[in-house]
Amino acid sequence: MAHHRITVLPGDGTGKEVSKEALNLLKTIEQHSPLSFEITEIPCGGEYYLETGEEWPSGSFEYCRDESDAILLGAIGWPGAIKPNGDLAGGQVILGLRSGLDLYANVRPIKLYKGIRHKIHGEFKQVWTPGLVDMTIIRENTEGLYQPLLSRSAHLARGEEYLGISDISIPGVEGEFAWDPRPISRLGSERVIRFSFELALQRNGCPSDGTTRVSCIDKSNVTRGCQLFRKIYHEISAEYPDIETDEAYIDAFTMWLVRQPEFYDVVVVPNMFGDIVTDLASSLQGGMGMAASANIGDQHMLFEPVHGSTPKRAGKGQVNPIAMLSSVQLMLEWLGRRKGDNDATIASNIIESAIEELIAIGNPLTYDLGGSSSTSEVSLAVCELVSKKLKLQYTSA
Ligand code: IPM
Ligand code: MN
């Protein structure tokens, strides 16, 4: 019987609420399929830091590294939860794991389901066409502008000292200043770009005409790091002659993304640009309540909704659980792929079709999609559809 060790890090605010629903979904799957999960929950994040002075219990990083097949994270970040040096409290969890476990590809699928209405000018309207928005953005996840904080967080998570880079002087800059280095390395670029080409081989191409394409998005007209990134993109694309290439600067890309999303299949982008552009891209699929992600490395993987802890909604049971339930779907997809577990693949497909069906029916939905139902009502509806589909799958098989 397939058995998976899942470590759940609920984190802050609404991250805790949606993590509870992820656990309900996993229970539903265990009840109706051959899959079984060994679940360990670890408290962590900014709120935990304010209560305890620690970002998570000691040994948590090692537990995630050594005792987990997959990690599921709610959200990190809480108002006022800042460390004395200015770092985000909870950074050890989200950034320490991304860096410390070498989760170099942040995979963010952008797919629009039929029935989604987009919130525009305070109203809900259907803007983009379902079927014409189906791309995966791959955000580089271990370097760029995040590198110093990523590396510092990973050192702290392992209980090691961090020797930061020393201060510098910059010609033309006088008086007090702050600066952020942005290292982009050959190794870091090669692995995430190759990952993107490999992922493109497993997809069905872009929605407009099925062309398999990897778009490289950067700012190589201005920054050295992006010039290296683009150069390596050219080198690696030569290894994949059947995959179409496409290049754009990040500023122009933000325009093309909303004007012709159907053109995009796989998009690879340096860290900070990827952070920004995936929030924008989520609006194509109905908002952050729909945006799921996978942080993938060669040895480890972590899954999380793209949204944050949403302090103003926290504790009210209002937020959309679908981003988290879709993150569970991605987790099962990757467990299926990496561990050759066909039941995990089946469960992943079933979660996706349940979410698709719920949205097509249009009820229950949360406020962000124009509904008025609660987090748990939506989650329960997904779980009911999932159990119905699993029963059908395993009794007719
Ligand atoms: C994300 C988040 C994180 C990031 C924060 C919480 C550090 O915005 O996953 O996109 O900036 O990467
Ligand atoms: Mn972000």
Side-chain angles (χ1 to χ4, degrees), residues 77-279:
W78 196 249
I82 301 179
K83 294 168 56 177
N85 68 356
D87 283 357
L88 167 81
Q92 264 189 57
V93 183
I94 183 166
L95 301 170
L97 287 171
R98 284 180 185 171
S99 172
L101 300 184
D102 252 341
L103 308 173
Y104 58 84
N106 194 325
V107 180
R108 297 187 162 183
I110 310 295
K111 183 169 178 181
L112 174 61
Y113 293 118
K114 187 162 168 270
I116 289 281
R117 292 173 307 143
H118 299 92
K119 191 164 185 199
I120 301 283
H121 299 309
E123 283 178 46
F124 287 92
K125 293 180 185 157
Q126 191 176 301
V127 183
W128 286 276
T129 309
L132 289 183
V133 178
D134 185 357
M135 71 186 85
T136 295
I137 301 184
I138 316 279
R139 164 187 177 190
E140 197 291 317
N141 214 26
T142 57
E143 49 184 39
L145 268 173
Y146 280 71
Q147 198 276 347
L149 181 55
L150 280 163
S151 173
R152 196 154 66 237
S153 304
H155 277 78
L156 289 175
R158 292 189 296 255
E160 295 167 4
E161 197 190 343
Y162 174 77
L163 297 173
I165 38 178
S166 50
D167 286 342
I168 57 153
S169 69
I170 301 178
V173 180
E174 303 287 327
E176 185 181 357
F177 73 98
W179 71 293
D180 298 280
R182 183 190 182 234
I184 290 185
S185 70
R186 168 168 283 277
L187 185 85
S189 305
E190 272 176 3
R191 63 187 186 177
V192 75
I193 293 169
R194 183 164 285 114
F195 180 98
S196 305
F197 278 90
E198 288 295 322
L199 192 88
L201 293 176
Q202 293 166 32
R203 287 175 42 94
N204 300 318
C206 74
S208 61
D209 62 4
T211 300
T212 294
R213 175 182 294 122
V214 175
S215 303
C216 178
I217 305 302
D218 57 43
K219 192 69 185 171
S220 53
N221 52 344
V222 175
T223 74
R224 289 276 188 273
C226 284
Q227 285 163 7
L228 179 62
F229 194 79
R230 178 81 66 103
K231 183 171 97 175
I232 292 168
Y233 167 78
H234 287 150
E235 289 173 15
I236 293 190
S237 70
E239 297 170 24
Y240 297 86
D242 295 335
I243 299 183
E244 195 172 292
T245 58
D246 170 56
E247 302 161 26
Y249 302 134
I250 181 69
D251 47 351
F253 175 69
T254 58
M255 171 185 64
W256 295 122
L257 181 66
V258 295
R259 285 183 63 175
Q260 51 161 30
E262 65 275 14
F263 179 77
Y264 294 105
D265 177 12
V266 172
V267 175
V268 63
V269 57
N271 202 341
M272 177 63 93
F273 294 153
D275 177 47
I276 298 167
V277 90
T278 51
D279 274 28

